[in-house]
Amino acid sequence: MSELRWKAVRPLRHRDYRLLWTGLAVALLGSGLWLVALAWQVIELGGGPVQLSVVTTAYSIGLLVCVLFGGIAADRLPQRTVIIVADSVRGVVLLGLAALALVGVLEIWHLAAAAVLVGAGEAFLIPAYTALVPRLLPADELLAANGLEGTLRPLAQQATGPVIGGLVIAAISPGVAILVAGLTYLFSAACVLAMNLRHEPASASGSDGAGEAAATGVRAMAADLREGWSYVRRTRWLLASLLFGTVFVLLILGPLEVLLPFAIRDQLGGDAREFGLVMAAFGVGGAAGALVISSRSLPRRYLTVMTLMWGLGSVPFVVLGFAQDLWLMMAGAAVVGATGSAAMVIWGTLLQRRVPDHLRGRIASLDFFVSLLLMPVSMALAGPAGSWFGVTAVFVVAGVGPAVVSFAVIWFGRMRSDELAHPLDQDEGAEKLITAEA
């Protein structure tokens, strides 16, 4: 058991990775804090579900529009520089927003404009982070690094950050919470700046010499994207999973980020503190799910288990729409967080083991893009849907919908036969899988 724990933290032996991970941890706290501060800042300005939908939609638009460019930048520019710039932009934007709030001149449109820039910064940061980690660690420690991130993200962004945000807002104001979030992004940039990388990354097109050098600019980017899309189209399990991810985001994300604060206010009579506790339960459940699934061998039916974890695991989401007790709402959120995070651990391993090396960066970027394709729609529809049909009805659809769709995805993706033909619980099969599917 102690050996397993040691393996889980081995990547932290490396100074540069430790700095990167520390910066990420603090920035994720800031992101969770920002999530709570944004919702209660809208409410403090007199806004309702529709206004919060507008602001969160602005964030998702910034993220979605820039994510493919972020993936290309991560392949063609020094990833360390991309991360520093992205974190610095996010930090400066939130400091400016906090200043407006603290002097009493903040308006809803300021929040929407800032949300676009924060989303754009994250769109550049995530692909660059993903591309940078393999340069900092030996290959046999990458899975452990993914486990560290998979545990850190829900604990920091979905648990600790929202709790801190709720406490700061209750004790002082949303503006101060936004200020603290901005400082966390600047701290992350400083950590990455302190790294000491000894070599620059290879160009995304560096493998083919002069012929590749001639293909620059828009033509090269288009060719990169076409190759990635072509691989997705001919890889049935991957296409089915990405389509399911799109539907999942449409049904889940808007209600979670837009309607949950109002469900807590109207059903529980709660405020930012209760919202922070529910989000904390979601995050703690996510961390527990990641730890449990990563401490075992992957199930033989890994595609089926992953899809059903996302699908059936969303059913407790229904509880958030009618619960009258805080503990019940927290329990529902914890189960959804645990199953979703466990499924993400399997998904991350899947991308590492079954996608060829030369396509992994683009597939990761396309995964992010396709999965979030309907995020703006989800954000935009959640508020009006809650007003027209009621918050409870929206949460029922959000909980039951993914469960129904998951069975269709398993059938369409031929996942049951595919996972048996390509087992991932034996190390010796990994190279054969990648070669066969390239």
Side-chain angles (χ1 to χ4, degrees):
M1 188 67 180
S2 60
E3 183 180 354
L4 288 175
R5 285 198 296 267
W6 167 242
K7 288 181 179 179
V9 298
R10 279 180 64 190
L12 294 177
R13 298 177 305 159
H14 305 275
R15 176 184 179 274
D16 281 348
Y17 177 77
R18 191 164 61 247
L19 284 168
L20 181 67
W21 188 87
T22 301
L24 175 68
V26 174
L28 287 173
L29 285 174
S31 294
L33 198 155
W34 156 248
L35 174 66
V36 179
L38 180 63
W40 253 261
Q41 185 66 76
V42 169
I43 292 173
E44 187 175 276
L45 292 175
V50 173
Q51 286 73 25
L52 186 53
S53 274
V54 169
V55 177
T56 53
T57 300
Y59 164 80
S60 59
I61 288 173
L63 186 63
L64 185 62
V65 168
C66 294
V67 66
L68 292 181
F69 297 104
I72 294 170
D75 283 339
R76 296 181 175 272
L77 299 173
Q79 293 102 14
R80 176 171 171 267
T81 301
V82 174
I83 293 173
I84 292 170
V85 171
D87 266 335
S88 297
V89 168
R90 295 196 299 169
V92 169
V93 166
L94 290 194
L95 291 185
L97 200 64
L100 294 176
L102 293 175
V103 300
V105 297
L106 184 67
E107 298 180 16
I108 295 289
W109 74 266
H110 293 138
L111 291 170
V116 170
L117 295 174
V118 171
E122 190 163 348
F124 279 87
L125 183 141
I126 291 175
Y129 176 90
T130 302
L132 181 59
V133 170
R135 297 179 53 214
L136 306 179
L137 298 172
D140 62 350
E141 294 184 14
L142 291 177
L143 191 58
N146 289 332
L148 281 171
E149 183 187 348
T151 303
L152 170 66
R153 190 170 293 276
L155 281 178
Q157 187 171 8
Q158 298 164 356
T160 311
V163 168
I164 294 174
L167 293 174
V168 171
I169 293 166
I172 311 175
S173 72
V176 173
I178 294 172
L179 173 65
V180 175
L183 292 175
T184 65
Y185 292 146
L186 294 180
F187 177 86
S188 177
C191 286
V192 179
L193 186 63
M195 292 167 61
N196 184 29
L197 295 178
R198 285 191 286 269
H199 62 278
E200 291 297 310
S203 168
S205 53
S207 60
D208 199 24
E212 285 284 341
T216 58
V218 175
R219 274 198 310 155
M221 290 189 291
D224 287 346
L225 292 176
R226 278 198 304 271
E227 186 180 8
W229 276 115
S230 176
Y231 178 79
V232 170
R233 285 198 307 269
R234 69 176 184 266
T235 309
R236 198 177 183 95
W237 65 266
L238 182 58
L239 176 60
S241 298
L242 291 179
L243 290 175
F244 178 62
T246 303
V247 175
F248 187 82
V249 167
L250 174 66
L251 294 175
I252 290 288
L253 205 58
L256 180 64
E257 298 207 7
V258 175
L259 295 182
L260 184 57
F262 299 97
I264 290 171
R265 185 190 67 182
D266 298 339
Q267 294 165 205
L268 306 181
D271 56 18
R273 285 169 292 191
E274 284 75 15
F275 179 64
L277 287 172
V278 174
M279 293 303 295
F282 184 82
V284 170
L291 285 174
V292 169
I293 199 70
S294 61
S295 66
R296 302 171 178 268
S297 298
L298 281 174
R300 193 179 187 197
R301 295 281 190 180
Y302 56 89
L303 286 169
T304 302
V305 170
M306 176 188 73
T307 306
L308 291 180
M309 277 184 172
W310 271 317
L312 297 181
S314 71
V315 173
F317 213 72
V318 174
V319 173
L320 303 183
F322 66 81
Q324 302 294 317
D325 298 308
L326 178 61
W327 72 266
L328 185 58
M329 194 172 282
M330 291 175 64
V335 173
V336 174
T339 53
S341 187
M344 280 301 299
V345 170
I346 298 176
W347 175 248
T349 304
L350 210 56
L351 293 182
Q352 290 176 335
R353 298 281 294 275
R354 295 196 60 178
V355 175
D357 290 346
H358 71 284
L359 287 171
R360 194 167 295 136
R362 275 167 286 174
I363 297 304
S365 181
L366 288 170
D367 165 37
F368 194 33
F369 176 77
V370 172
S371 297
L372 300 182
L373 187 61
L374 295 184
M375 178 193 277
V377 179
S378 182
M379 299 290 192
L381 291 180
S387 298
W388 296 336
F389 305 110
V391 171
T392 299
V394 175
F395 276 108
V396 168
V397 172
V400 175
V404 174
V405 175
S406 65
F407 290 101
V409 167
I410 291 170
W411 174 81
F412 170 77
R414 299 173 184 168
M415 292 181 172
R416 291 175 62 81
S417 59
D418 186 281
E419 61 201 356
L420 292 180
H422 303 95
L424 287 184
D425 55 354
Q426 297 178 3
D427 292 338
E428 60 266 26
E431 292 300 323
K432 293 180 181 178
L433 283 176
I434 291 176
T435 303
E437 295 189 2

